[in-house]
Amino acid sequence: MASETAAIVVRPSRPAPWRDPRLRGIALQVVFVAVIAAIIGFLAYNTTVNLRRQNIATGFGFLDREAAFGIGESLIAYSPADTYARAFLVGLANTLYVSAIGIVLATILGTVMGLARLSRNWLVAKLAAIYVETFRNIPLALQLLFWWALLREVAPGPRQAWQPLPGVFVSNRGILLPVPHQDPAYLWMAVAFAIAFGIAYAVFRWARRRQAETGRQFPAGWVGLALALGLPLIVFVAHGMPLEMEWPVLRGFNFAGGTAFSPEFGALLIGLVVYTGTFIAEIVRAGILAVSWGQSEAAMALGLRPGQRMRLVVLPQALRVIIPPMTSEYLSLTKNSSLAVIIGYPDLVSIANTTMNQTGQAVEGIAMIMAVYLVISLLISLFMNLYNRSVALVER
Amino acid sequence: MSNAAEAMPGKAPVQSGARAMIEMQAVHKWYGEFHVLKDINLIVGRGEKVVVCGPSGSGKSTMIRCINRLEEHQQGRIIVSGIELTSDLKHIEAIRREVGMVFQQFNLFPHLTVLENLTLAPIWVRKLPKKEAEETARYYLERVRIPEQADKYPGQLSGGQQQRVAIARSLCMKPEIMLFDEPTSALDPEMIKEVLDVMIELAQEGMTMVCVTHEMGFARTVGDMMVFMDRGEIVERAPPAEFFANPKSERTRLFLSQILAH
């Protein structure tokens, strides 16, 4: 009986094609691609036929035409006489501007709150927990409207503007800050800062080499900080301390001078930072908790100090847990900035909306928005993946 | 290698009890309401090997973790190598430099290579030049018989190899005292021997050791004193021969009958 079974098993037999996993895989993929191609083909055909029936021109020719609408705030020169292409560029610049500042601030806020939630101080931990649980669980669109209403409706008019600090005005026209007058000293201070940075880097390398050779440590971090602050300060003093500022001044019904953030920009930035900060806080907290307590104990038993323990043992391991989800937070902050449209900040989506209303080129407009967000997202993703590779753990 | 060998700590075996390396006087500890350590008195002399055993939850791990302040005691005094353990961070740091510890779960740093695991503390705490730290590290890797694994990561090693790396990591700080907290409990049976062999060698060189372990063969071979703990108290202490031959307390007898039954 046994030998009979063995004979059956040993005989080399080809399975029928529909039972061969390899052939089945290939067949399924062919079918899948064919279905996708058919759907895309149908949609494209349907769209062109419909557009032609309604006499709507297709193509990107409209980009060269005059936009003829104003944009509230812009980082680059723009007037309604400029082209649609230029208007798109303004929107793109605004989107990148608010996203970039938002990513930096959200990372700082999130890290601080994440660490605070781990604090042994009851009050600090509870306050951080309340922050996270509140702002994480209210829809972002609602929060944006709230911040915008706060800045736009609750804030007084320019004549009764709040003045939290001398020279800083908060009114329903936005937040105004004083800026220093043009002075050659500032340029030289920037140069001094750059030089200090270079020296600090050299000191850091030297300190590392010396420690490897002699074991003696050198407070390179503190020296670097002193250089970065000290050198520009020396230049500042040497130039006779030019402290003249350009103050925002009330003129007629509005302010002149200084620099201003519009209520829309302020609301969008605060909303994005506060909202994304909650998720980053949880990611940071999870990352640090993911490093087992045994690691800290081993470091303690070896005599490492709390700072060294964090820097040499806990953080390098926490980072590899933190980086990948951090990437998706950066991506969602950037994409969420398109909610600007509901409070009227002229970001890419808002400007594309206006363009589509005026030209009727909805397909092209949407395609451009999608392409731009895709490119931005892929770029962020690329850089974060490169960084992630540098901190990843070798397992086997 | 030979000059590194001369720099080893505890080169010659010293007669036991010459000077107290660890002294615990009337130590108490509570976790909330729970009284984990009750009036612990223990003196460990230079070069002495103390083996601590007892049922789980008896407080033996907590006791040795108090010696390097991984746990805080709330009453009584602990003096290690002439320094009293108080909340003074300077004292705690000084003691931790002199006391090595090996954990049940190894606790190697997974993001560093074996060599980097061994040189981390000598470089940052002892402030040794990297080259010197690496020489010492290679010497101890040789001692624990895995010199060829220096550039691997802990995740690439077997449990027994990892625990030997952990022992070498502690030794690189040239401690005067070694604490072992159930060093073989997380190991497969065939790996226990390679770790015990290293520990026996270390004992024969005169290291002061406190081991929490249930390896009774090891206790008989190297132990100077057995300490039996139950419910937070030291119930019995005796030299191994006497401890195993005629335990005085009923609880000790019961415990020994359970672990030596097979």
Side-chain angles (χ1 to χ4, degrees), chain A residues 64-80:
Chain A
D64 296 328
R65 297 209 302 270
E66 187 185 310
F69 62 89
I71 296 177
E73 50 193 303
S74 166
L75 291 172
I76 54 178
Y78 173 82
S79 79

mmCIF file of all heavy atoms in Angstrom, chain A residues 64-80:
data_model
loop_
_atom_site.group_PDB
_atom_site.id
_atom_site.type_symbol
_atom_site.label_atom_id
_atom_site.label_comp_id
_atom_site.label_asym_id
_atom_site.label_seq_id
_atom_site.Cartn_x
_atom_site.Cartn_y
_atom_site.Cartn_z
ATOM 1 N N ASP A 64 -2.475 80.828 -21.401
ATOM 2 C CA ASP A 64 -1.805 82.046 -21.872
ATOM 3 C C ASP A 64 -2.716 83.260 -21.844
ATOM 4 O O ASP A 64 -2.281 84.377 -22.076
ATOM 5 C CB ASP A 64 -1.287 81.843 -23.309
ATOM 6 C CG ASP A 64 -0.220 80.771 -23.356
ATOM 7 O OD1 ASP A 64 0.506 80.665 -22.351
ATOM 8 O OD2 ASP A 64 -0.129 80.043 -24.365
ATOM 9 N N ARG A 65 -4.029 83.040 -21.605
ATOM 10 C CA ARG A 65 -4.956 84.161 -21.629
ATOM 11 C C ARG A 65 -4.885 84.949 -20.331
ATOM 12 O O ARG A 65 -4.384 84.476 -19.315
ATOM 13 C CB ARG A 65 -6.388 83.645 -21.864
ATOM 14 C CG ARG A 65 -6.560 82.963 -23.221
ATOM 15 C CD ARG A 65 -7.963 83.096 -23.730
ATOM 16 N NE ARG A 65 -8.956 82.533 -22.818
ATOM 17 C CZ ARG A 65 -9.363 81.255 -22.868
ATOM 18 N NH1 ARG A 65 -8.856 80.427 -23.752
ATOM 19 N NH2 ARG A 65 -10.274 80.827 -22.038
ATOM 20 N N GLU A 66 -5.457 86.165 -20.396
ATOM 21 C CA GLU A 66 -5.423 87.030 -19.228
ATOM 22 C C GLU A 66 -6.363 86.499 -18.149
ATOM 23 O O GLU A 66 -7.499 86.127 -18.449
ATOM 24 C CB GLU A 66 -5.853 88.438 -19.650
ATOM 25 C CG GLU A 66 -5.704 89.454 -18.563
ATOM 26 C CD GLU A 66 -6.269 90.792 -19.014
ATOM 27 O OE1 GLU A 66 -5.911 91.237 -20.108
ATOM 28 O OE2 GLU A 66 -7.068 91.366 -18.261
ATOM 29 N N ALA A 67 -5.875 86.459 -16.890
ATOM 30 C CA ALA A 67 -6.679 85.884 -15.815
ATOM 31 C C ALA A 67 -7.828 86.813 -15.437
ATOM 32 O O ALA A 67 -8.942 86.367 -15.194
ATOM 33 C CB ALA A 67 -5.815 85.616 -14.591
ATOM 34 N N ALA A 68 -7.525 88.090 -15.324
ATOM 35 C CA ALA A 68 -8.553 89.095 -15.057
ATOM 36 C C ALA A 68 -9.268 88.912 -13.723
ATOM 37 O O ALA A 68 -10.435 89.229 -13.594
ATOM 38 C CB ALA A 68 -9.575 89.129 -16.201
ATOM 39 N N PHE A 69 -8.602 88.269 -12.738
ATOM 40 C CA PHE A 69 -9.175 88.307 -11.388
ATOM 41 C C PHE A 69 -8.050 88.616 -10.388
ATOM 42 O O PHE A 69 -6.891 88.277 -10.623
ATOM 43 C CB PHE A 69 -9.913 87.016 -11.025
ATOM 44 C CG PHE A 69 -9.070 85.767 -11.008
ATOM 45 C CD1 PHE A 69 -8.413 85.380 -9.854
ATOM 46 C CD2 PHE A 69 -8.954 84.970 -12.146
ATOM 47 C CE1 PHE A 69 -7.661 84.215 -9.837
ATOM 48 C CE2 PHE A 69 -8.192 83.815 -12.130
ATOM 49 C CZ PHE A 69 -7.542 83.444 -10.966
ATOM 50 N N GLY A 70 -8.421 89.271 -9.309
ATOM 51 C CA GLY A 70 -7.435 89.650 -8.314
ATOM 52 C C GLY A 70 -7.172 88.511 -7.340
ATOM 53 O O GLY A 70 -8.010 87.629 -7.168
ATOM 54 N N ILE A 71 -5.959 88.503 -6.732
ATOM 55 C CA ILE A 71 -5.634 87.501 -5.717
ATOM 56 C C ILE A 71 -5.229 88.248 -4.455
ATOM 57 O O ILE A 71 -4.391 89.151 -4.502
ATOM 58 C CB ILE A 71 -4.492 86.576 -6.193
ATOM 59 C CG1 ILE A 71 -4.948 85.780 -7.421
ATOM 60 C CG2 ILE A 71 -4.076 85.632 -5.077
ATOM 61 C CD1 ILE A 71 -3.883 84.889 -8.005
ATOM 62 N N GLY A 72 -5.840 87.877 -3.337
ATOM 63 C CA GLY A 72 -5.674 88.600 -2.076
ATOM 64 C C GLY A 72 -4.242 88.727 -1.614
ATOM 65 O O GLY A 72 -3.798 89.789 -1.200
ATOM 66 N N GLU A 73 -3.512 87.623 -1.642
ATOM 67 C CA GLU A 73 -2.127 87.709 -1.182
ATOM 68 C C GLU A 73 -1.261 86.838 -2.076
ATOM 69 O O GLU A 73 -1.684 85.783 -2.523
ATOM 70 C CB GLU A 73 -1.993 87.294 0.270
ATOM 71 C CG GLU A 73 -2.653 85.986 0.607
ATOM 72 C CD GLU A 73 -2.764 85.796 2.110
ATOM 73 O OE1 GLU A 73 -1.713 85.843 2.773
ATOM 74 O OE2 GLU A 73 -3.884 85.611 2.611
ATOM 75 N N SER A 74 -0.042 87.302 -2.292
ATOM 76 C CA SER A 74 0.811 86.599 -3.230
ATOM 77 C C SER A 74 2.265 86.797 -2.833
ATOM 78 O O SER A 74 2.660 87.852 -2.367
ATOM 79 C CB SER A 74 0.573 87.140 -4.637
ATOM 80 O OG SER A 74 1.600 86.692 -5.484
ATOM 81 N N LEU A 75 3.044 85.740 -3.032
ATOM 82 C CA LEU A 75 4.464 85.842 -2.717
ATOM 83 C C LEU A 75 5.235 86.410 -3.899
ATOM 84 O O LEU A 75 6.327 86.930 -3.750
ATOM 85 C CB LEU A 75 5.030 84.456 -2.380
ATOM 86 C CG LEU A 75 4.533 83.838 -1.075
ATOM 87 C CD1 LEU A 75 5.012 82.402 -0.969
ATOM 88 C CD2 LEU A 75 5.021 84.641 0.111
ATOM 89 N N ILE A 76 4.669 86.252 -5.127
ATOM 90 C CA ILE A 76 5.328 86.773 -6.317
ATOM 91 C C ILE A 76 4.454 87.871 -6.911
ATOM 92 O O ILE A 76 3.257 87.917 -6.654
ATOM 93 C CB ILE A 76 5.574 85.646 -7.359
ATOM 94 C CG1 ILE A 76 4.257 84.921 -7.683
ATOM 95 C CG2 ILE A 76 6.588 84.652 -6.842
ATOM 96 C CD1 ILE A 76 4.411 83.852 -8.725
ATOM 97 N N ALA A 77 5.089 88.721 -7.703
ATOM 98 C CA ALA A 77 4.347 89.847 -8.276
ATOM 99 C C ALA A 77 3.195 89.325 -9.126
ATOM 100 O O ALA A 77 3.366 88.400 -9.929
ATOM 101 C CB ALA A 77 5.287 90.692 -9.131
ATOM 102 N N TYR A 78 2.005 89.900 -8.955
ATOM 103 C CA TYR A 78 0.844 89.442 -9.716
ATOM 104 C C TYR A 78 -0.170 90.573 -9.823
ATOM 105 O O TYR A 78 -0.413 91.300 -8.864
ATOM 106 C CB TYR A 78 0.200 88.243 -9.033
ATOM 107 C CG TYR A 78 -1.100 87.840 -9.692
ATOM 108 C CD1 TYR A 78 -1.086 87.047 -10.822
ATOM 109 C CD2 TYR A 78 -2.319 88.281 -9.194
ATOM 110 C CE1 TYR A 78 -2.273 86.697 -11.451
ATOM 111 C CE2 TYR A 78 -3.506 87.937 -9.812
ATOM 112 C CZ TYR A 78 -3.481 87.145 -10.944
ATOM 113 O OH TYR A 78 -4.634 86.801 -11.565
ATOM 114 N N SER A 79 -0.753 90.691 -11.011
ATOM 115 C CA SER A 79 -1.863 91.619 -11.168
ATOM 116 C C SER A 79 -2.904 90.931 -12.049
ATOM 117 O O SER A 79 -2.583 89.963 -12.752
ATOM 118 C CB SER A 79 -1.386 92.905 -11.827
ATOM 119 O OG SER A 79 -1.271 92.695 -13.219
ATOM 120 N N PRO A 80 -4.156 91.381 -11.999
ATOM 121 C CA PRO A 80 -5.198 90.726 -12.804
ATOM 122 C C PRO A 80 -4.870 90.685 -14.292
ATOM 123 O O PRO A 80 -5.451 89.883 -15.024
ATOM 124 C CB PRO A 80 -6.432 91.593 -12.546
ATOM 125 C CG PRO A 80 -6.190 92.181 -11.201
ATOM 126 C CD PRO A 80 -4.711 92.418 -11.121
#
